[in-house]
Amino acid sequence: MAPALRGLIVVLALAGCERLPDREPLTGGDPKHGRSLIREFGCGSCHRISGVPGANASVAPPLEKLKSRVYLAGRFANTPQNLVAWIHDPRAMDSQTAMPAVGVDEQQARDIAAYLYTR
Ligand code: HEC
């Protein structure tokens, strides 16, 4: 194979797999696992989430720049603990929210929160 072509293939392969840390410091969760859980639980059917193929709905707010936000869902302090609790069971925090609990357990919520804090 021509070296130029081989170089191009390497570049394309790298572009497709974004590097994520093994541990995200705020949550202690695993962002790579979080990203696959986001797909598994269908968060992208309501939210736009960068780096997750197919997660481009606009039913709910886009989940971007969460790390720099002051509030979650407009009313809770944006702490790692609140983010994990929200993902685990939003209606336990606010019985009126339109976001349903989708069956994410606490460890899974931690990994998902870890991914969201990398956005
Ligand atoms: C059926 C649609 C739906 C699904 C599925 C859904 N959400 Fe939500 N989500 C919402 C809505 C609506 C809100 C806004 C809630 C509010 O402000 O009361 C929300 C809010 C949020 C927020 C707070 C956003 C902000 O801007 O402060 C986070 C974080 C979040 N969702 C994460 C997730 C994750 C992670 C999943 C998958 C495990 C998920 N959501 C699945 C509808 C959904």
Side-chain angles (χ1 to χ4, degrees):
M1 190 188 301
L5 191 54
R6 201 177 306 147
L8 180 65
I9 288 171
V10 168
V11 167
L12 291 176
L14 288 175
C17 68
E18 183 193 348
R19 284 194 149 282
L20 286 168
D22 291 335
R23 286 272 163 248
E24 189 285 320
L26 292 173
T27 55
D30 172 350
K32 285 192 202 105
H33 189 227
R35 180 172 52 192
S36 50
L37 290 168
I38 285 171
R39 298 188 74 176
E40 199 177 301
F41 283 100
C43 313
S45 62
C46 290
H47 294 282
R48 188 172 72 235
I49 309 166
S50 77
V52 180
N56 46 27
S58 42
V59 174
L63 302 182
E64 58 199 24
K65 300 199 167 61
L66 274 187
K67 211 157 141 177
S68 57
R69 304 254 199 106
V70 176
Y71 297 108
L72 282 176
R75 48 202 170 281
F76 302 104
N78 179 19
T79 62
Q81 197 181 7
N82 278 344
L83 180 58
V84 171
W86 177 270
I87 294 168
H88 171 54
D89 190 357
R91 289 187 179 164
M93 292 176 75
D94 177 357
S95 60
Q96 309 251 298
T97 183
M99 177 163 156
V102 294
V104 177
D105 73 25
E106 280 194 44
Q107 183 54 53
Q108 291 170 326
R110 188 171 306 285
D111 291 343
I112 291 173
Y115 180 73
L116 295 177
Y117 277 148
T118 69
R119 298 299 86 199

